[in-house]
Each structure stands twice: as structure tokens, then as C-alpha cells.
Amino acid sequence: MEKKAVVVLSGGLDSTTCMGIAKDAGYELYPLTFYYGQRHNREVEQAKKIADFYGVPAHRLVNLDFLGQIGGSALTDTNIEVPVVQANAADEEEIPATYVPARNMIFLSLAAAYAEVVGAEVIYIGVSAVDYSGYPDCRPEFIRSMNETVHLATKAGDKGTGIRIEAPLAHLSKKETIEWGLALGVPYELSTSCYQGGAEACGECDSCRLRLKGFAEAGVKDPISYQKG
């Protein structure tokens, strides 16, 4: 039987890279995409295109609009503005307004449930603690903790087969991530990163700036369209 991997696929640059990494590692891909009331829900449509590109046997779309209902983030509450001029929050004390409360913890819990059902041995998630926006649920300590929790809380863990969480980009810069993805033929032209969610990326939000910086440092033109400023 072919080994299987669940990939938390947002439609962004990092999760798309994880699709390529998992494919290259020989896994049959089972991407899981979440709609959680995010203002940039265009990423869900891009995730569908990325899943089609990889010819996956199944692509699960999960409605978590509860996260949108409770708000608390510039990505889920239209009353909170998305920061457009912001230094890398990894160098600051404050967690940015685009942090979505407990998002990755919820995503990984559901991914673990899905992995048990389809018989996947690994979950891929594209978090990074280098070029990132300073979110606490992107830290390696969090991934280690969730691995332990998944082991303790699942039938697979109890039976000794186990499900492990892989975060292959955790210690990579965006430049290094992009270089790895390009070597694997990852379709970055299908991905989206802009928090504003327009057909053309704004080029000013934190996510856009990190993406543009990564492509510039890699010496490659970003294949998606940006608004003319």
C-alpha cells in the first residue's frame, strides 16, 4: 500500500511547498483546507487548483466559520485593519493583529483525526519560525508539543503505529523555502499569500512583503500578480 500524508493546505506559499516536499518523499497526498471566515478566502480557491495540480485522490474542504464568528483577528474581523506597513514581528514583542487565535492548534487536531481515518502516517504543515509574522503557533516548541498530544490522544498512538507532524520549513528562511520548492517544481503561480485577498496581491501586507523578500533573495521573479503602486 502507498504511504499517505495529510497536508494542511491553505493555498499559500509555504503549504504549497509542503505539497511538493510530501510528494517528493513518496507520499500519496491528502490535502486538508479550512474555510474559517478569513477575509482572504481566495486562498481556498487557490488551494483547490493546487490540489488538482498534484492529482490528489481526495481534497477535503472544512468549514470552520466559528473562527470567523468569534473574530479577534484582522483576518477574520473586518473591524480590525490588516497592517500594511509592519516590520517583521518576529523581531518585536507584540503578536501582530493578523494572528488568528489557536488556529494551528485547531487545524492540527482536525488533521490528526483525518489522518487516523485515511490511514496517514504523517501530517505536513508549512509553519516557519524564521521569516514569519511572529505567531506563537508557528514555533518549533508548539509542533513538538502537538506531536506529543497527537501521540497521547489518538488510537494510532495508543496502538503504536502513530501519526507524526512534520514541519519541514520550520528553520528555513523564505528564500530557502522558495529554492527548495522551485527544485521540486512547486506551482507557486497557483498560490496566494496576500492578506487582503484580492485578485492581485497588495504587496504591502506582512505576508506579501515576506513573500516578495524571499523571491528577491532567491533571484527569481514572483509569478503572481501584484497591484501597481
Side-chain angles (χ1 to χ4, degrees), residues 55-133:
V56 303
H59 179 203
R60 289 285 183 179
L61 303 175
V62 180
N63 189 339
L64 289 178
D65 58 4
F66 171 72
L67 288 178
Q69 292 167 19
I70 64 172
S73 168
L75 298 188
T76 58
D77 187 340
T78 55
N79 293 314
I80 304 174
E81 286 191 19
V82 173
V84 294
V85 180
Q86 178 176 315
N88 188 346
D91 299 326
E92 301 176 355
E93 290 186 7
E94 274 195 38
I95 294 171
T98 49
Y99 163 69
V100 179
R103 178 177 60 180
N104 284 341
M105 183 165 62
I106 294 167
F107 286 2
L108 286 172
S109 296
L110 291 171
Y114 187 41
E116 278 213 294
V117 171
V118 300
E121 63 185 62
V122 61
I123 299 165
Y124 279 86
I125 186 167
V127 296
S128 171
V130 182
D131 282 342
Y132 77 128
S133 297

Side-chain angles (χ1 to χ4, degrees), residues 44 54 144 203:
V44 175
Y54 282 102
R144 286 196 294 270

Side-chain angles (χ1 to χ4, degrees), residues 162-177:
I163 300 165
R164 71 183 186 280
I165 300 168
E166 292 281 354
L169 312 179
H171 301 289
L172 300 184
S173 67
K174 277 288 185 284
K175 170 182 178 287
E176 292 167 325
T177 293

